[in-house]
Amino acid sequence: MTETGEESTCPICGGAEKVPLPDETWLLGFPDSHMMWRCNTCRFVYLVTGRTSEELLSDYDDEYFDRLSDFQDGSPVHVARTRMFQDHLQVIEDRVGRDARILDLGAARGHFLEVAANEGWSAIGLEPAQTAAEEAQKRGLDVTIGTLDDAGFAADSFDAVHSSHVFEHLDAPVDLSLIH
């Protein structure tokens, strides 16, 4: 992979045809060296940085989350995301029932977990960005700091896994067999 991703292929289907998404990259608050792409074959949106996972994780610091100020309580984006998360919970309920144990993969500061708790659900979060996870923990949310690879959850720990606006941030796709 190159810094711009011009020679990259889709990490899901291997397709080489893609379009750059510079507006989405900017909206996510990434440095100029990061580029988001949409695969023309499978439509997966992915990030190309030419950096390791550890280097990429360093981008998700206090400054990154502070740049997302329009996600603050009561903002139009926050209200819209709350409704979206309520819809996600309805899908989970329809598929596995109301008593589902939910893992929020990429919990960030815990917005989905707050919505789930307010709706009476039992959910825990997993977040690799330490400062975001600690902020969620300070608000009483159950968030584990780390990645799926090192979290050590036992098989069948969860009935459902939620993840929103996460996969496009990864430098390689998640091994979904870990959560199947």
Side-chain angles (χ1 to χ4, degrees), residues 22-153:
D23 291 340
E24 284 80 355
T25 303
W26 175 83
L27 286 171
L28 291 172
F30 288 123
D32 291 337
S33 64
H34 296 53
M35 178 56 74
M36 302 225 9
W37 297 87
R38 178 180 295 120
C39 175
N40 288 347
T41 303
C42 70
R43 309 290 292 160
F44 182 71
V45 174
Y46 59 99
L47 180 67
V48 175
T49 67
R51 299 165 65 209
T52 67
S53 295
E54 292 77 22
E55 292 169 332
L56 187 58
L57 182 58
S58 70
D59 291 337
Y60 299 97
D61 56 11
D62 288 335
E63 285 184 35
Y64 169 81
F65 288 100
D66 289 343
R67 284 192 300 264
L68 301 177
S69 60
D70 59 345
F71 285 63
Q72 300 303 315
D73 289 350
S75 72
V77 172
H78 187 269
V79 170
R81 286 178 60 88
T82 297
R83 286 188 196 125
M84 177 184 72
F85 291 150
Q86 289 168 332
D87 291 344
H88 293 183
L89 288 166
Q90 185 61 55
V91 170
I92 292 170
E93 181 174 355
D94 291 347
R95 295 198 177 172
V96 295
R98 180 67 180 186
D99 295 329
R101 295 162 297 160
I102 304 170
L103 171 65
D104 186 23
L105 188 59
R109 292 177 169 170
H111 187 179
F112 173 80
L113 298 174
E114 283 181 327
V115 174
N118 289 340
E119 300 283 327
W121 290 84
S122 173
I124 70 166
L126 180 62
E127 173 56 48
Q130 183 172 345
T131 56
E134 288 173 348
E135 184 176 320
Q137 291 169 344
K138 287 177 187 173
R139 293 193 337 271
L141 300 170
D142 187 356
V143 177
T144 298
I145 301 169
T147 65
L148 193 56
D149 290 329
D150 57 26
F153 296 121

